[in-house]
Amino acid sequence: MPETNDWWRTAVIYQVYPRSFADSTGDGVGDLDGITARLDAIASLGADAVWLSPFYVSPQHDAGYDVADYTDVDPLFGDLASFDRLLARAHELGLRVIVDLVPNHSSSEHPWFRAALAAAPGSPERARYLFRDGRGLVDANGTGDVPPNDWQSVFGGPAWTRVVEADGRPGQWYLHLFDTSQPDFDWSNGEVQAFFLDVLRFWLDRGVDGFRIDVAHGLVKAPGLPDYTPPAGGSMGGDAASAPMWAQPGVHEIYREWRRLVDGYQPPRALVGEAWVQPLSKLANWVRPDELHQTFNFEYLETPWDAAALRAVVDGSLAAFGGVGAPATWVLSNHDVIRHPTRFALVPPPPQGEGLGPRSPHHPDEVVGLRRARAATLFMLALPGSAYLFQGEELGLPEVIDIPDAARQDPTFARTGGASYGRDGARVPIPWTADAPAQGFGPPGAAATGASWLPQPTTWASYARDGQAGVPGSTLELYRAALAARRAHGLGAGALAWLPGDDPHVLAFRSGDVTVVANVGARPVPLPAGEVLVASGPLGEGVIPGDTTVWLLRVE
Ligand code: GLC
């Protein structure tokens, strides 16, 4: 592995969603040994690092983002020894490993929350979470029957649940910005702060290269927890400057302390925040020199396939992140959003979290979507900074729409009474081998069971990795070629210079010796003379067809 302290500035980081990557036992859920056995596929793709979504002890009410033990592995995924094996193998292959940290809330099965439920109102046990008396009618317990404020959970329904006190009567309420099973910590509590420093140390001492911080904009709530009505369509915090549960100034002190901790390790480790904060100028506060190293760029992810919008978000990102000395980051897909081949086929796509299902009014065109997705990815991978990929996008996988209601597991689906399908469509186990049980997601040979925790569509066989490997023009080979060329030409560390042009649907820039031309429109445009390095789709004679990006060398 190259010995550098700032590998993260230009890294391509591949997100592994452990439940859905590779299952070594045949129980239908992916696991750490499954990942270890398949890490070479990530290394040979050309990624620099792996980000692992949570694999900690959890009742799995939110696919592991509900943690009951922060320093142990859920038996579903293996144990600490299997984690150590994964880490060692990744390092052997030159891949760095970032693990997910979920500090905004624990599982309701965490020992601290159980202790809080067993303890009395006002106790130190309750003070680690956000317990409050209700409003409304005050009953014999001295607490009202109406939630303490009007906040709604991101997954739908009220953000408060009332507990039953030791005497069997309804009592206080606790805050959960997500599912009922995910109580929010009170981050003004010194015990909570110290606890997470220990959790960080635990994984740092085990050798991880960094952390992805879940809901990094949510830990601190406005004093007094005032009522708040979000604007329609808002979610996850990008909705308003005044939201009392998101982007409160107090979060920054937490990250300054974490930064001091990780900087004490040799080589220093990286912190990336999941902060749904807009505008970019505000998001940049998360990555000031003494805070996190990086933050996801959801404004980029949510930008439509439109030349003017893309140019604006690229300029805005480079200016905002560059202004605080942080690298820009880019991302098109993850486990919370509709996979980008499907998203780019929908104008406009449904809001984040709503998802797609059999009763959605949308009919994405898979061919158009994939063509745009490939062009969008090739454009993204040329941009200076760091890029995040989500498992399966290198196969061009679309969102799975036809998941039966009974199989859906995202709490969003149940909490909205089915009004939002949620995020399961992006989380279906990925296809490795077209004609193997569970499309090769499970173990091979006699151990194969064909089990898969979410049903895999039969149409995915045509996207399976074995059918794409070595096949010119396949999406897998496009990603490989792009990542190799990105590395060879230093694009991650490059400086972008836009090239002039008259066509409003064309984006063209130069970075080092590479010229990038993206035809975001539908009509063919002239192909500049030069050596084609990578193209996202077939080129015509002297033309770049619609929805196609090309990288060129030696353009005059
Ligand atoms: C983050 C995760 C998402 C999870 C939520 C609550 O947004 O990416 O999957 O449901 O936090 O932890």
Side-chain angles (χ1 to χ4, degrees), residues 277-342:
V277 174
Q278 285 176 13
L280 284 158
S281 53
K282 187 170 176 190
L283 180 62
N285 288 341
W286 269 253
V287 287
R288 288 174 288 193
D290 59 347
E291 298 195 33
L292 306 181
H293 298 75
Q294 285 189 348
T295 176
F296 295 125
N297 187 345
F298 293 119
E299 204 158 314
Y300 184 75
L301 185 149
E302 292 186 331
T303 301
W305 184 233
D306 172 89
L310 278 167
R311 182 169 172 154
V313 74
V314 168
D315 283 340
S317 305
L318 293 173
F321 292 121
V324 291
T329 68
W330 316 102
V331 61
L332 289 169
S333 277
N334 65 33
H335 65 294
D336 290 328
V337 301
I338 294 173
R339 283 184 175 274
H340 68 279
T342 303

Side-chain angles (χ1 to χ4, degrees), residues 27 55 71 107 156 162 166 189 300 495 502 544:
D27 67 353
F55 47 79
T71 53
S107 159
R162 196 172 192 189
N189 184 317
Y300 184 75
D502 300 331
I544 308 175

Side-chain angles (χ1 to χ4, degrees), residues 62 65 105 155 212 214-215 236 274 335-336 423 427:
D62 184 22
Y65 282 95
H105 45 263
F155 294 158
R212 176 264 189 192
D214 191 63
V215 198
M236 290 303 284
E274 185 219 18
H335 65 294
D336 290 328
R423 304 159 294 173
R427 301 174 173 181

Side-chain angles (χ1 to χ4, degrees), residues 15 17 51 53-54 61-67 100-105 154-155 177-179 182 212-217 236 274 276 296 298 334-337 352 410-412 423 427:
Q15 179 188 359
Y17 196 65
W51 147 34
S53 278
H61 292 309
D62 184 22
Y65 282 95
D66 47 325
V67 181
D100 222 306
L101 184 75
V102 189
N104 180 67
H105 45 263
V154 170
F155 294 158
L177 291 182
F178 296 90
D179 189 47
Q182 293 166 296
R212 176 264 189 192
I213 299 152
D214 191 63
V215 198
H217 57 312
M236 290 303 284
E274 185 219 18
W276 292 78
F296 295 125
F298 293 119
N334 65 33
H335 65 294
D336 290 328
V337 301
Q352 189 275 330
D410 182 350
T412 309
R423 304 159 294 173
R427 301 174 173 181

Side-chain angles (χ1 to χ4, degrees), residues 168-231:
R169 283 191 286 193
Q172 284 195 304
W173 301 73
Y174 67 88
L175 178 72
H176 51 88
L177 291 182
F178 296 90
D179 189 47
T180 318
S181 61
Q182 293 166 296
D184 282 51
F185 284 113
D186 183 344
W187 267 91
S188 65
N189 184 317
E191 251 190 298
V192 172
Q193 297 163 10
F195 172 77
F196 275 97
L197 287 171
D198 283 343
V199 173
L200 287 164
R201 281 191 203 101
F202 177 87
W203 293 105
L204 289 166
D205 292 342
R206 267 200 129 72
V208 304
D209 301 288
F211 297 90
R212 176 264 189 192
I213 299 152
D214 191 63
V215 198
H217 57 312
L219 276 50
V220 174
K221 279 78 179 175
L225 310 179
D227 277 347
Y228 171 69
T229 308

Side-chain angles (χ1 to χ4, degrees), residues 285-455:
N285 288 341
W286 269 253
V287 287
R288 288 174 288 193
D290 59 347
E291 298 195 33
L292 306 181
H293 298 75
Q294 285 189 348
T295 176
F296 295 125
N297 187 345
F298 293 119
E299 204 158 314
Y300 184 75
L301 185 149
E302 292 186 331
T303 301
W305 184 233
D306 172 89
L310 278 167
R311 182 169 172 154
V313 74
V314 168
D315 283 340
S317 305
L318 293 173
F321 292 121
V324 291
T329 68
W330 316 102
V331 61
L332 289 169
S333 277
N334 65 33
H335 65 294
D336 290 328
V337 301
I338 294 173
R339 283 184 175 274
H340 68 279
T342 303
R343 218 174 55 237
F344 284 134
L346 299 172
V347 185
Q352 189 275 330
E354 197 171 299
L356 289 172
R359 294 179 298 280
S360 302
H362 308 273
H363 303 284
D365 181 325
E366 213 166 305
V367 174
V368 172
L370 181 56
R371 195 165 62 228
R372 287 186 184 155
R374 291 168 53 124
T377 298
L378 196 58
F379 178 77
M380 173 179 87
L381 290 176
L383 296 172
S386 174
Y388 284 81
L389 306 177
F390 176 47
Q391 66 177 37
E393 69 166 87
E394 75 279 23
L395 306 176
L397 296 181
E399 183 84 354
V400 182
I401 298 175
D402 286 322
I403 300 177
D405 288 0
R408 291 197 178 263
Q409 307 218 7
D410 182 350
T412 309
F413 184 69
R415 287 187 63 86
T416 60
S420 287
Y421 280 107
R423 304 159 294 173
D424 289 325
R427 301 174 173 181
V428 173
I430 59 173
W432 294 85
T433 315
D435 61 2
Q439 297 172 347
F441 159 68
T449 59
S452 163
W453 71 280
L454 283 172

Side-chain angles (χ1 to χ4, degrees), residues 12-327:
V12 173
I13 300 171
Y14 182 101
Q15 179 188 359
V16 170
Y17 196 65
R19 303 175 72 81
S20 304
F21 190 70
D23 166 19
S24 72
T25 63
D27 67 353
V29 180
D31 48 55
L32 298 185
D33 282 344
I35 298 168
T36 306
R38 297 276 198 185
L39 279 175
D40 52 349
I42 302 174
S44 68
L45 188 66
D48 302 292
V50 171
W51 147 34
L52 294 172
S53 278
F55 47 79
Y56 314 110
V57 176
S58 161
Q60 305 289 325
H61 292 309
D62 184 22
Y65 282 95
D66 47 325
V67 181
D69 184 345
Y70 286 86
T71 53
D72 205 353
V73 174
D74 196 289
L76 196 58
F77 300 119
D79 53 21
L80 282 170
S82 38
F83 176 79
D84 291 342
R85 284 195 295 275
L86 188 162
L87 190 61
R89 177 70 183 138
H91 286 167
E92 206 173 275
L93 289 166
L95 291 168
R96 291 184 160 87
V97 176
I98 289 177
V99 296
D100 222 306
L101 184 75
V102 189
N104 180 67
H105 45 263
S106 70
S107 159
S108 51
E109 292 186 21
H110 191 280
W112 272 10
F113 192 72
R114 288 171 179 245
L117 288 182
S123 60
E125 287 83 358
R126 289 219 169 161
R128 296 165 178 149
Y129 294 90
L130 290 160
F131 281 84
R132 294 289 182 275
D133 291 343
R135 299 190 284 197
L137 208 63
V138 172
D139 54 31
N141 281 337
T143 167
D145 60 357
V146 175
N149 70 24
D150 65 357
W151 295 3
Q152 294 295 297
S153 147
V154 170
F155 294 158
W160 295 91
T161 291
R162 196 172 192 189
V163 303
V164 175
E165 302 292 359
D167 60 7
R169 283 191 286 193
Q172 284 195 304
W173 301 73
Y174 67 88
L175 178 72
H176 51 88
L177 291 182
F178 296 90
D179 189 47
T180 318
S181 61
Q182 293 166 296
D184 282 51
F185 284 113
D186 183 344
W187 267 91
S188 65
N189 184 317
E191 251 190 298
V192 172
Q193 297 163 10
F195 172 77
F196 275 97
L197 287 171
D198 283 343
V199 173
L200 287 164
R201 281 191 203 101
F202 177 87
W203 293 105
L204 289 166
D205 292 342
R206 267 200 129 72
V208 304
D209 301 288
F211 297 90
R212 176 264 189 192
I213 299 152
D214 191 63
V215 198
H217 57 312
L219 276 50
V220 174
K221 279 78 179 175
L225 310 179
D227 277 347
Y228 171 69
T229 308
S235 66
M236 290 303 284
D239 48 2
S242 57
M245 66 289 277
W246 307 126
Q248 296 299 306
V251 293
H252 298 291
E253 199 36 58
I254 299 170
Y255 301 132
R256 290 195 187 100
E257 184 153 23
W258 291 10
R259 179 65 179 253
R260 286 192 289 274
L261 175 71
V262 297
D263 279 354
Y265 280 77
Q266 208 36 257
R269 317 296 164 88
L271 300 170
V272 53
E274 185 219 18
W276 292 78
V277 174
Q278 285 176 13
L280 284 158
S281 53
K282 187 170 176 190
L283 180 62
N285 288 341
W286 269 253
V287 287
R288 288 174 288 193
D290 59 347
E291 298 195 33
L292 306 181
H293 298 75
Q294 285 189 348
T295 176
F296 295 125
N297 187 345
F298 293 119
E299 204 158 314
Y300 184 75
L301 185 149
E302 292 186 331
T303 301
W305 184 233
D306 172 89
L310 278 167
R311 182 169 172 154
V313 74
V314 168
D315 283 340
S317 305
L318 293 173
F321 292 121
V324 291

